[in-house]
Amino acid sequence: MILSPSLLSADFGNLQATLEQLKISGISWVHWDVMDGSFVPNITFGQHVIRQLRKISSLFFDVHLMIDDPGRYIADFRDAGADMLVIHAEADTHIQRTLSEIRRCGMKAGLAFNPATPTECLDYLRDDLDMVLIMSVNPGFGGQKFIPATYGKIQRVREQLAGTDCLIEVDGGVTPENAGDLVRSGTDVLVSGSAFFNHPPFDTRLKAFENACL
Ligand code: DX5
Ligand code: ZN
């Protein structure tokens, strides 16, 4: 299990210190929620903020684009230092082209699905993907309640991806209480915002998530 803490619940005034603290606490991935105020009803930060923090952090940057028509910004996020770039299936008319372009730019390619979006398109995208992100809340805000139908969706996606190395990430309302069931259902990467950052210190909280998955 990989824990990818979502900076949406971190102190935006102290991101450098937060990233340094995550690193020394044993965290390897960090999740950036980019929101444009159109695809989702909230605005966060963009490529320029990520670029500044890339200079001081060697963590794996897992960048979740909640923006319309994400194909417009692939080179920008590559230049900013994203390692994994995740686009939304609902936000792009030409998903396969955008995913190929992400890989061509040297990043890992991820595809996210909102809770009510079916995943049939994965049958045609198996060879173009490094990760599938299953949203377990409707995107836009931290601190929302986990949607239980997610478990069935994870199992279906796991079947669709059989025989590939593609990771499954779950995002939204993830806590130490549901982490074990999520991993047993087939999740590789857990995103946690409020349930991680509201319970310092980071190393103890990471242990709580890890112990829940034993
Ligand atoms: C929601 C974001 C999530 C969010 C998770 O739109 O994509 O990454 O920060 O936050 P929690 O863990 O608080 O639900
Ligand atoms: Zn996210």
Side-chain angles (χ1 to χ4, degrees):
M1 183 276 287
I2 296 169
L3 183 67
S4 190
S6 165
L7 292 171
L8 188 59
S9 293
D11 177 356
F12 283 10
N14 285 301
L15 287 175
Q16 177 169 349
T18 300
L19 290 170
E20 288 166 353
Q21 197 58 47
L22 289 172
K23 178 83 178 177
I24 61 173
S25 302
I27 293 287
S28 53
W29 284 37
V30 67
H31 186 85
W32 297 84
D33 284 308
V34 177
M35 304 187 188
D36 67 354
S38 175
F39 179 69
V40 287
N42 200 1
I43 300 175
T44 53
F45 42 74
Q47 65 272 36
H48 302 297
V49 170
I50 295 174
R51 184 200 311 271
Q52 296 304 320
L53 279 310
R54 175 81 284 175
K55 293 179 191 162
I56 58 87
S57 179
S58 60
L59 290 171
F60 185 87
F61 280 12
D62 166 26
V63 178
H64 179 191
L65 295 185
M66 285 161 278
I67 66 174
D68 283 323
D69 207 358
R72 297 173 292 164
Y73 294 104
I74 295 170
D76 285 1
F77 281 96
R78 187 267 318 274
D79 295 345
D83 295 298
M84 169 80 75
L85 200 59
V86 182
I87 63 165
H88 262 265
E90 306 84 1
D92 197 321
T93 313
H94 303 289
I95 299 172
Q96 197 277 339
R97 180 160 66 199
T98 307
L99 293 171
S100 313
E101 184 62 13
I102 291 171
R103 280 184 163 176
R104 200 188 61 77
C105 283
M107 295 175 283
K108 305 271 190 205
L111 184 63
F113 294 90
N114 285 336
T117 304
T119 61
E120 271 65 33
C121 65
L122 288 179
D123 294 344
Y124 310 99
L125 297 168
R126 286 164 47 97
D127 299 331
D128 302 293
L129 278 170
D130 298 293
M131 190 171 80
V132 171
L133 190 169
I134 300 174
M135 287 303 308
S136 38
V137 300
N138 290 288
F141 304 94
Q144 301 182 81
K145 201 166 152 344
F146 179 85
I147 298 172
T150 306
Y151 292 116
K153 198 168 190 178
I154 296 165
Q155 284 164 2
R156 279 194 297 281
V157 170
R158 188 44 83 203
E159 287 163 18
Q160 286 180 282
L161 297 175
T164 74
D165 293 332
C166 189
L167 299 171
I168 295 180
E169 179 176 67
V170 173
D171 183 4
V174 175
T175 68
E177 286 66 45
N178 56 23
D181 286 341
L182 287 168
V183 168
R184 283 186 287 276
S185 300
T187 309
D188 302 294
V189 185
L190 297 173
V191 175
S192 176
S194 51
F196 181 81
F197 282 102
N198 295 349
H199 299 270
F202 298 159
D203 55 352
T204 310
R205 200 56 175 163
L206 171 61
K207 270 274 161 299
F209 275 93
E210 286 174 344
N211 288 339
C213 299
L214 292 177

